[in-house]
Amino acid sequence: MTKTSIIVAICLMLALNIAAETKVHIVYLGERQHDHPDSVTESHHQMLWSILGSKEAAHDSMVYSYRHGFSAFAAKLTDSQVIQLSELPEVIHVIRERFYELQTTRTWDYLKHTSRHPKNLLNQTNMGDKVIIGVVDSGIWPESESFSDKGLGPIPKRWKGSCDSKQSFNGSTVCNRKLIGAKYFISGLINGADESNWNTTENPEYISPRDFNGHGTHVAATAAGSFVPDASYLALGRGTARGGAPRARIAMYKACWHLASIGTATCSAADMLKAIDEAIHDGVDVLSISTSFPIPLFPEVDAQDAMAVGAFHAVAKGIPVVCSGGNAGPASQTVTNTAPWIITVAATTQDRSFPTLITLGNNITIVGQALYQGPDMDFTGLVYPEGPGASNETFSGVCEDLAKNPARIIKEKIVLCFTKSTDYGTLIQAASDVFNLDGYGVIVARNPGYQLNPCDGFPCLAVDYELGTDILFYIRSTRSPVAKIQPTRTLVGLPVATKVATFSSRGPSSISPAILKPDIAAPGVNILAATSPNDTFYDRGFSMKSGTSMSTPVVAGIVALLKSLHPHWSPAAIRSAIVTTAWRTDPSGEPIFADGSNRKLADPFDYGGGVVNSEKAAKPGLVYDMGVNDYVLYLCSVGYTDSSITRLVRKKTVCGNPKPSVLDLNLPSITIPNLAKEVTITRTVTNVGPVGSVYKAVIEAPMGVNVNVTPSALVFNAKTRKLSFKVRVVTNHRVNTGYYFGSLTWTDSVHNVVIPLSVRTQILQRYYDEN
């Protein structure tokens, strides 16, 4: 080969390397190998330098250095560079960037979480005054009254965070003694590009901690909003708005960004991981994260699940992490954020509804649900688009197809349509289509779905299929059907029943079915809280939103108060307290149903332990505690390698042979997904109540299953705070079954410490194992 051809070949190779496409990847190294954060970052640059060939290239490639809670970095890498890094012995995983989805005055009265009694949780903790709640979300609107610092004392001295100042957000003026931290993270989303290149015309956003779409503002206000008197939404009643821990301090970590192209917010895994890392460093006491990634799930400590990895390191440092369970219900096995160190939250309705009366021409009145505050409508023509028309005309009573109907059919009428969707967007689109065809209102028949939003003053109502069919039969029974609609009323208390929301994701966990998920439920439907003025449904500073995104901060606020009351409790102890004391009926004593295709009584896969009960959780009597060593045993039981666990926890780890049983993880629940004949399970409880307590076991066995507890009584004293017991579970079924449910209660006549039992018999599984 000639000298010239060699030079040409080298140039071609360089050009190909430059042209190779780079994508953001997260290089996960586990626990920090250096105490000082600067040394951790320097080790990351050196690793990149060894692969990329120069210090400058390493600097340009680096997006984030995760250096506080754990060791990892995000960098722009080509496929070949990813392969080289993956082969380094100190690297656990290198994974491509992923994206997460973002998933109330009455709430606290409904949960009986009030300050009316002098010795209740709110008063005992001064409403969370010294607690710091970190919120990872879409930012914050700091001017909201919900973030007023009136009456608050100085910022806790241990706080190490700060407020960024960038576009439309001056941290030195908008942060205060309430909003004590505000940071933003966007490099992962934009693939490490210069953030100044963001086109705010095509994609309106604030490149700062300021919230564009209102989601983060709503979540932060629900968790820890200050008292705002005379709050209301669309004049549907007035009251004092506040968060669950109204004097707690808030630190916002903006990692979710509104994208006009998809009409919602998205959150990059690299940005989420950096937000959690910074929150650990800054000194938050609790993390509230209302995002989730859809199934299929990744292993809990695989860096491809940034949420689980970040949460592991936070929990290892004593910070409870509260996450949304997802909005993919009512299908089973859709729950996300399923790692056993995360508190996973489901969503329920509360005892408030918005009845809107529809009177038909035959004087029958039907109750729909809406947020309509317009004038009373007189009797007006009512139509369901169907029947023969001209050859070039389409008649359709399907809500998604209303725009295809001739205008003459819709004009000046109330329109009935049917849809299979429970998404509130379908209702809004149907209202828009009818409005554009000069109609006067729309009634949408659908499966139960409790998310309601106004339609800009246009009457848009939801009914179930049964009521929709009643209206349809009336329309077909007369030549000139008519109806009138009255403005929405607000109904609070009985007879409004509590239900697990249709959208709330259900268990069992698709990755580790022996880990009960969700853990707990809280109101997440039509939650009133502060929002951004850019919110489509903004009304005088507030809006109503629904989702497990809304139920998560309800629990986070309560967890913050428990952390204040019991500062030395572990995250697992706090989780145990809220699970074992939860309501399994609604606060009025009525059964809780789970909405879906078929309404049924709720079970642990719908709501975990039940609906959160803050007052009982403050004094649970016993707790099922866990620490890092317990989670290590869990990782061994599900097959994580010794070397990966060692790097994760920074301690030499060798999993036993045989592996420990996942069923023995000290959870406040027992879930047996594959019971062939019998199994014996161990649990340990810690007495956090009176020293001389004596507890007796009360068993509610699942159908067709025998359950025995040994010993049947637990006697505590000054020297004995922890006691273990064994649970023997035997199936009487001779065929494969679905899950049957029961409970195990330890009671001392004052405290009832309840854990759910979920058992599935799998005879066929035993046959395959033995043959």
Side-chain angles (χ1 to χ4, degrees):
M1 183 179 288
T2 66
K3 185 176 181 180
T4 302
S5 62
I6 291 173
I7 293 172
V8 170
I10 291 172
C11 291
L12 282 171
M13 289 175 65
L14 289 172
L16 287 170
N17 189 54
I18 292 170
E21 184 180 18
T22 62
K23 294 287 186 183
V24 173
H25 289 71
I26 299 171
V27 182
Y28 180 60
L29 307 170
E31 187 60 55
R32 297 186 305 168
Q33 299 300 308
H34 306 277
D35 291 330
H36 198 283
D38 290 345
S39 300
V40 178
T41 297
E42 179 60 28
S43 70
H44 296 162
H45 279 99
Q46 289 177 359
M47 182 178 289
L48 264 182
W49 185 354
S50 70
I51 299 297
L52 303 186
S54 74
K55 191 173 184 178
E56 292 75 16
H59 182 271
D60 291 342
S61 173
M62 184 74 75
V63 176
Y64 290 126
S65 172
Y66 309 106
R67 60 192 199 150
H68 299 299
F70 48 91
S71 179
F73 61 87
K76 294 176 284 184
L77 302 169
T78 65
D79 290 344
S80 62
Q81 291 162 354
V82 167
I83 293 171
Q84 293 176 68
L85 278 166
S86 300
E87 293 172 348
L88 297 178
E90 58 266 52
V91 173
I92 297 176
H93 295 294
V94 182
I95 57 100
R96 272 284 301 275
E97 175 67 291
R98 299 173 71 215
F99 295 93
Y100 289 78
E101 300 170 351
L102 289 172
Q103 307 284 325
T104 107
T105 57
R106 179 60 192 166
T107 302
W108 308 114
D109 285 337
Y110 164 74
L111 292 175
K112 305 188 188 305
H113 180 67
T114 68
S115 58
R116 291 168 189 158
H117 191 282
K119 292 186 178 180
N120 65 16
L121 181 60
L122 278 169
N123 288 327
Q124 285 181 300
T125 60
N126 195 18
M127 303 189 183
D129 183 44
K130 301 299 182 183
V131 184
I132 302 166
I133 301 178
V135 179
V136 181
D137 214 284
S138 66
I140 196 163
W141 195 266
E143 292 83 6
S144 168
E145 292 179 79
S146 292
F147 309 122
S148 166
D149 65 354
K150 184 178 179 181
L152 291 181
I155 295 170
K157 292 181 179 180
R158 58 193 164 80
W159 177 243
K160 295 185 288 185
S162 61
C163 287
D164 291 345
S165 292
K166 207 61 187 289
Q167 181 187 3
S168 302
F169 195 97
N170 185 338
S172 62
T173 59
V174 298
C175 285
N176 55 23
R177 290 168 298 169
K178 179 68 172 181
L179 178 61
I180 64 174
K183 298 180 178 180
Y184 72 99
F185 310 92
I186 194 173
S187 296
L189 178 66
I190 60 177
N191 201 36
D194 187 340
E195 65 187 45
S196 64
N197 293 330
W198 183 284
N199 189 328
T200 55
T201 301
E202 292 182 2
N203 200 81
E205 248 291 6
Y206 300 103
I207 311 303
S208 72
R210 185 171 291 279
D211 187 10
F212 181 81
N213 69 7
H215 190 279
T217 301
H218 197 282
V219 166
T222 301
S226 299
F227 286 90
V228 181
D230 205 31
S232 70
Y233 184 64
L234 300 178
L236 292 167
R238 294 182 178 276
T240 297
R242 66 169 176 88
R247 293 177 65 88
R249 315 309 170 97
I250 296 170
M252 174 58 69
Y253 299 87
K254 181 177 179 178
C256 302
W257 301 84
H258 183 80
L259 296 181
S261 58
I262 61 175
T264 187
T266 191
C267 324
S268 128
D271 295 336
M272 294 284 295
L273 203 56
K274 183 61 175 174
I276 296 171
D277 187 45
E278 287 293 309
I280 294 171
H281 166 266
D282 292 347
V284 304
D285 296 303
V286 178
L287 271 170
S288 180
I289 307 178
S290 289
T291 66
S292 61
F293 195 83
I295 55 174
L297 306 178
F298 288 94
E300 294 98 329
V301 290
D302 188 324
Q304 294 185 82
D305 189 341
M307 188 86 73
V309 170
F312 179 89
H313 292 285
V315 168
K317 290 171 174 58
I319 303 169
V321 181
V322 186
C323 293
S324 55
N327 298 332
S332 65
Q333 298 183 316
T334 52
V335 66
T336 63
N337 292 323
T338 58
W341 45 85
I342 290 174
I343 300 173
T344 309
V345 186
T348 69
T349 64
Q350 52 191 323
D351 61 345
R352 178 178 63 190
S353 69
F354 302 97
T356 308
L357 302 184
I358 308 163
T359 302
L360 305 179
N362 58 5
N363 287 323
I364 291 177
T365 297
I366 286 174
V367 181
Q369 291 285 314
L371 295 178
Y372 170 60
Q373 283 298 293
D376 272 12
M377 291 182 66
D378 253 336
F379 278 110
T380 302
L382 177 65
V383 65
Y384 174 73
E386 64 177 344
S391 59
N392 62 343
E393 289 182 326
T394 298
F395 286 7
S396 177
V398 176
C399 296
E400 289 83 350
D401 295 335
L402 288 180
K404 298 177 181 178
N405 287 288
R408 63 182 177 81
I409 299 298
I410 306 295
K411 187 176 182 180
E412 297 180 356
K413 292 185 176 68
I414 300 169
V415 180
L416 172 69
C417 67
F418 285 74
T419 180
K420 295 178 181 179
S421 171
T422 57
D423 191 321
Y424 77 93
T426 303
L427 186 73
I428 293 173
Q429 185 59 54
S432 175
D433 291 341
V434 171
F435 177 81
N436 291 334
L437 292 171
D438 295 325
Y440 282 173
V442 64
I443 301 169
V444 173
R446 62 182 187 180
N447 264 319
Y450 292 91
Q451 187 165 356
L452 296 174
N453 286 105
C455 299
D456 291 328
F458 189 77
C460 60
L461 294 77
V463 297
D464 64 21
Y465 288 144
E466 180 182 350
L467 295 178
T469 302
D470 288 343
I471 298 171
L472 177 59
F473 284 2
Y474 160 70
I475 291 172
R476 289 173 173 169
S477 71
T478 179
R479 286 175 173 246
S480 302
V482 293
K484 64 178 181 179
I485 297 173
Q486 297 178 28
T488 298
R489 306 172 185 179
T490 302
L491 181 62
V492 172
L494 299 174
V496 183
T498 301
K499 295 174 282 291
V500 177
T502 305
F503 59 76
S504 187
S505 292
R506 310 297 211 264
S509 164
S510 62
I511 190 170
S512 188
I515 308 300
L516 177 63
K517 292 291 175 175
D519 292 294
I520 196 71
V525 175
N526 298 325
I527 303 300
L528 178 66
T531 191
S532 156
N534 300 307
D535 187 341
T536 304
F537 306 109
Y538 176 90
D539 182 57
R540 288 164 288 185
F542 291 85
S543 73
M544 281 187 179
K545 295 184 184 296
S546 299
T548 53
S549 284
M550 282 62 253
S551 57
T552 297
V554 171
V555 174
I558 291 170
V559 166
L561 296 182
L562 294 175
K563 181 82 171 176
S564 175
L565 185 65
H566 303 290
H568 302 299
W569 280 12
S570 70
I574 291 174
R575 188 253 303 273
S576 174
I578 64 175
V579 170
T580 60
T581 60
W583 277 300
R584 292 193 294 162
T585 61
D586 76 9
S588 67
E590 293 294 323
I592 297 174
F593 283 81
D595 265 342
S597 298
N598 294 301
R599 185 175 294 177
K600 65 179 183 66
L601 281 172
D603 61 50
F605 294 144
D606 300 313
Y607 62 12
V611 177
V612 65
N613 182 340
S614 60
E615 293 304 316
K616 292 288 187 181
K619 298 177 181 179
L622 305 175
V623 295
Y624 293 77
D625 204 0
M626 287 191 288
V628 170
N629 290 338
D630 297 281
Y631 298 130
V632 168
L633 291 176
Y634 166 74
L635 299 177
C636 289
S637 73
V638 296
Y640 216 57
T641 65
D642 293 352
S643 59
S644 294
I645 298 172
T646 296
R647 283 193 290 267
L648 184 71
V649 301
R650 204 176 178 184
K651 179 181 178 182
K652 178 66 175 177
T653 301
V654 177
C655 294
N657 188 13
K659 295 176 182 178
S661 170
V662 68
L663 298 178
D664 286 331
L665 186 64
N666 203 43
L667 293 165
S669 60
I670 293 175
T671 307
I672 308 173
N674 296 300
L675 181 61
K677 186 174 182 181
E678 68 174 77
V679 68
T680 299
I681 296 165
T682 301
R683 287 290 185 272
T684 300
V685 289
T686 302
N687 182 24
V688 294
V691 173
S693 297
V694 177
Y695 284 84
K696 295 182 179 180
V698 178
I699 300 166
E700 181 186 334
M703 190 180 79
V705 175
N706 294 334
V707 180
N708 294 298
V709 178
T710 307
S712 60
L714 300 176
V715 181
F716 296 93
N717 55 45
K719 293 183 178 180
T720 305
R721 293 186 62 247
K722 287 188 178 184
L723 287 172
S724 296
F725 60 91
K726 294 187 180 297
V727 182
R728 183 170 177 260
V729 184
V730 181
T731 181
N732 297 317
H733 295 287
R734 300 174 63 186
V735 297
N736 288 352
T737 70
Y739 280 94
Y740 290 103
F741 304 99
S743 65
L744 166 61
T745 302
W746 288 105
T747 180
D748 65 352
S749 299
V750 176
H751 305 93
N752 293 311
V753 187
V754 186
I755 65 172
L757 304 179
S758 310
V759 181
R760 180 176 65 176
T761 300
Q762 291 287 282
I763 305 297
L764 188 61
Q765 179 68 37
R766 181 179 63 169
Y767 173 83
Y768 281 133
D769 288 345
E770 292 177 352
N771 294 275

